Amino acid sequence: MTARSLDWESGQGERKWRRRSLWALLLLVPLALAGQAYDSVKTLLGGEDLFPRQVAWGQSAHFGGSDWKLTDLRGAFGMSNLPPESVPVLADFSVKVGDPDLQKLWLGCKVMLIDAEGRRWSPTSVVSLKAPGDVHTCVSAIFSGARRGDTLNLRETFLVPRQATKTIRPAVGLASERPHFLFFQLEKD
């Protein structure tokens, strides 16, 4: 008989392996839970615009394969048939296309306005303002057939409370860049 077989027969070998298995469980259970949770956390973070990338007035930022620049943010005052104390706001962007696969890179394109309190407004179709023929919305630009080097003019229309117009800033989110988004500063900041 060898020493190894004596250990096994006396129960020493079995106890060693049981202890090793318990120590392995302390490591493997948290790793398995982390692996299971990874996809859920990735989906949760990937679906929201959480981390702003500040862009100064007049500057462009590379985002979603293209260079984005805010060209104008203005209110369209004096319109009738609107809810009281609300103002239509136009946000204009100039986007120089880098990677022309906009259907992939700009999927989930979302232009929004964010005020100092963190409230967000999405574009509206309630206010219908005539735009020049070469001006797209974020979603229509995806299907414009733009090529590398083309410059797209984008405009989104919002309806916001009058008091919020003092602190609103435009932002752009794309599914390919989430959870990051562009947050444009105005020249007076």
Side-chain angles (χ1 to χ4, degrees):
M1 288 213 143
T2 64
R4 185 173 255 187
S5 64
L6 284 177
D7 276 348
W8 193 258
E9 287 174 8
S10 66
Q12 294 292 327
E14 184 179 341
R15 277 184 251 153
K16 279 184 191 178
W17 281 105
R18 188 177 299 146
R19 251 180 295 170
R20 289 177 184 164
S21 298
L22 289 173
W23 281 109
L25 279 176
L26 287 176
L27 179 67
L28 293 175
V29 168
L31 285 175
L33 290 174
Q36 290 290 325
Y38 174 76
D39 286 336
S40 298
V41 170
K42 185 177 174 185
T43 302
L44 175 70
L45 292 177
E48 296 295 325
D49 299 308
L50 300 174
F51 306 111
R53 233 178 87 199
Q54 303 289 334
V55 181
W57 177 261
Q59 300 296 313
S60 63
H62 192 74
F63 195 68
S66 300
D67 294 322
W68 291 75
K69 181 179 182 179
L70 175 67
T71 56
D72 198 10
L73 181 69
R74 66 187 180 283
F77 296 95
M79 295 182 68
S80 59
N81 298 329
L82 294 177
E85 294 300 312
S86 63
V87 176
V89 175
L90 304 174
D92 293 329
F93 298 89
S94 174
V95 184
K96 184 167 183 173
V97 177
D99 187 336
D101 190 4
L102 302 184
Q103 292 181 17
K104 177 182 174 190
L105 294 171
W106 288 20
L107 185 68
C109 182
K110 181 167 51 171
V111 178
M112 61 200 127
L113 295 179
I114 304 173
D115 73 356
E117 296 175 23
R119 296 180 297 178
R120 296 178 182 209
W121 287 270
S122 296
T124 184
S125 60
V126 171
V127 180
S128 175
L129 299 172
K130 192 100 172 144
D134 66 338
V135 175
H136 300 277
T137 64
C138 196
V139 174
S140 71
I142 294 172
F143 303 102
S144 67
R147 295 186 184 104
R148 183 181 311 275
D150 287 353
T151 299
L152 297 174
N153 296 311
L154 305 181
R155 174 179 288 166
E156 295 289 355
T157 305
F158 301 86
L159 191 61
V160 299
R162 186 177 301 276
Q163 75 273 11
T165 59
K166 295 177 182 132
T167 62
I168 56 173
R169 304 290 178 266
V172 176
L174 303 173
S176 65
E177 297 285 343
R178 286 191 177 103
H180 300 281
F181 66 98
L182 294 181
F183 190 49
F184 293 89
Q185 299 301 311
L186 301 183
E187 58 187 320
K188 62 186 173 202
D189 290 343

